[in-house]
Amino acid sequence: MSARGLHWASINEISFVAGMRFLFWVCRVFGRWPFRIVLYPVLAWYVLTKPLPRRASRDYLDSMQAHTGRKLPGVMRHFAAFGESILDKMLLWGGLYPVDDVELHGGELITDAVAAGQGGLMICAHLGNLELCRVLSRQRHDIKLTVLVHTRHAQAFNDMLASLNPDSSLNLMQVTEMSPATAMLLSERVARGEFVVIAGDRVPVSHNPRVAIADFLGAPAPFPVGPHILAGILQCPVYLIFSMRRGRRAHVYFETFRERVRIPRKDRDAALAELAGDYARRLEHHTMQAPLEWFNFYDFWHLPELESPDAPR
């Protein structure tokens, strides 16, 4: 692939967090506004020295503006929102985040399932701060989560969270490819009333990733089909989770996606494309509510392993 088409896992999107320990200290001692003042020199260095994430942010913001007709702030504001989300993650695991101020929407879907002893699959996105879901699952409802991640590209950041609270990594499962043994393990956990969480807006880490093409912000983009295949294996309720900050409050949305996912052998690709398209539409809906809260700093519309290197915009 060209440099523009680098896979997201090849881009160290958290490389500017080397200074986040200092910024975290600034916030703890002086408050959020001094943190923001000090944050901008860090962001300026990052934006100037990292052309691929900078270009990806610009392309995304242009696509959002063209699709909605709304004027959006520039790349620096987009990265500033990302910096704020990193701070929120550090405050969360440092026990300093006001979790009681988080507004839950549709939370009864999950609490009712827990009360009935029924597990499920949750498909999330890189929108807002999904760490809120892990913390809230413990502090409010004692929901048992297994979060499937590929975090080797962000090891320094995860080590930093672990230094604040060792529990930050307890329910993460490192998965590059879904093996039969992993699928069986996850099925056992769901059968015990637990929940599995997987991202639906990043192409899998593989030489030949399995994707379906769905419209997103007016252009075709590749979405992973792995979450939907996993849903078909687990045969459990499937939910969507979206998180975002609106004003001073954080919001977490839960939605029912499917009661069960059944993927027929015939027209399998069409069924997966329909599922990916439905997910993409819900992701687009929530991303439009908080455009600066979507943190995929790579060429999202790039179509890997296809003859046409980039989707039309």
Side-chain angles (χ1 to χ4, degrees):
M1 293 184 184
S2 65
R4 183 176 175 82
L6 280 175
H7 194 286
W8 63 264
S10 302
I11 303 172
N12 186 1
E13 66 178 26
I14 318 290
S15 60
F16 73 82
V17 302
M20 286 302 297
R21 290 182 185 275
F22 171 69
L23 294 173
F24 180 55
W25 175 82
V26 169
C27 182
R28 290 186 63 180
V29 175
F30 300 104
R32 194 126 191 166
W33 274 107
F35 158 82
R36 290 170 177 158
I37 293 172
V38 179
L39 173 65
Y40 271 86
V42 177
L43 294 176
W45 169 84
Y46 185 82
V47 171
L48 288 173
T49 60
K50 304 295 180 182
L52 293 180
R54 180 179 70 237
R55 189 183 303 130
S57 173
R58 181 71 272 159
D59 288 348
Y60 159 70
L61 293 173
D62 288 346
S63 295
M64 178 64 78
Q65 287 187 168
H67 189 67
T68 63
R70 291 156 48 193
K71 179 67 175 177
L72 296 177
V75 170
M76 282 292 288
R77 284 284 302 278
H78 191 195
F79 279 98
F82 185 45
E84 296 268 0
S85 76
I86 290 178
L87 174 66
D88 285 343
K89 292 178 181 181
M90 297 174 71
L91 292 173
L92 271 167
W93 290 113
L96 301 172
Y97 191 92
V99 293
D100 290 338
D101 291 342
V102 178
E103 191 166 338
L104 297 180
H105 306 265
E108 66 279 359
L109 295 172
I110 308 303
T111 54
D112 289 349
V114 171
Q118 185 178 55
L121 177 68
M122 299 181 180
I123 305 178
C124 66
H126 290 82
L127 179 68
N129 183 3
L130 261 296
E131 298 290 322
L132 282 170
C133 297
R134 286 207 287 152
V135 173
L136 289 171
S137 70
R138 293 183 180 182
Q139 294 191 354
R140 290 194 180 182
H141 307 302
D142 194 28
I143 301 169
K144 294 184 178 180
L145 301 178
T146 296
V147 185
L148 306 184
V149 295
H150 177 83
T151 57
R152 293 188 181 96
H153 69 296
Q155 192 58 50
F157 177 63
N158 289 289
D159 289 346
M160 180 171 59
L161 291 183
S163 70
L164 295 173
N165 187 336
D167 288 345
S168 67
S169 60
L170 279 183
N171 53 0
L172 298 180
M173 179 182 290
Q174 186 73 236
V175 175
T176 300
E177 294 185 358
M178 185 62 62
S179 68
T182 302
M184 184 176 297
L185 173 63
L186 297 177
S187 181
E188 291 172 352
R189 295 188 180 186
V190 170
R192 294 197 299 263
E194 301 181 17
F195 292 82
V196 175
V197 183
I198 186 171
D201 63 342
R202 281 191 179 175
V203 174
V205 183
S206 169
H207 292 297
N208 295 297
R210 298 192 62 185
V211 300
I213 306 304
D215 187 81
F216 183 68
L217 297 180
F223 284 84
V225 298
H228 311 299
I229 293 174
L230 180 59
I233 294 171
L234 297 179
Q235 284 299 293
C236 64
V238 183
Y239 306 92
L240 303 182
I241 320 173
F242 300 100
S243 170
M244 67 188 72
R245 176 181 286 276
R246 300 175 69 177
R248 296 186 178 183
R249 293 180 68 88
H251 298 257
V252 178
Y253 295 83
F254 296 91
E255 301 179 2
T256 298
F257 186 60
R258 295 287 194 278
E259 290 298 330
R260 292 285 190 281
V261 168
R262 303 190 186 280
I263 303 173
R265 292 185 178 181
K266 185 179 180 181
D267 297 329
R268 178 182 177 87
D269 290 344
L272 290 171
E274 180 181 354
L275 289 163
D278 288 349
Y279 169 82
R281 280 187 287 276
R282 296 311 299 158
L283 173 63
E284 180 178 275
H285 169 80
H286 286 282
T287 304
M288 288 170 60
Q289 310 308 309
L292 298 181
E293 294 281 298
W294 195 56
F295 305 130
N296 267 332
F297 295 110
Y298 70 99
D299 187 8
F300 187 79
W301 284 267
H302 181 84
L303 307 180
E305 306 298 327
L306 297 183
E307 292 182 2
S308 177
D310 290 280
R313 297 193 184 281

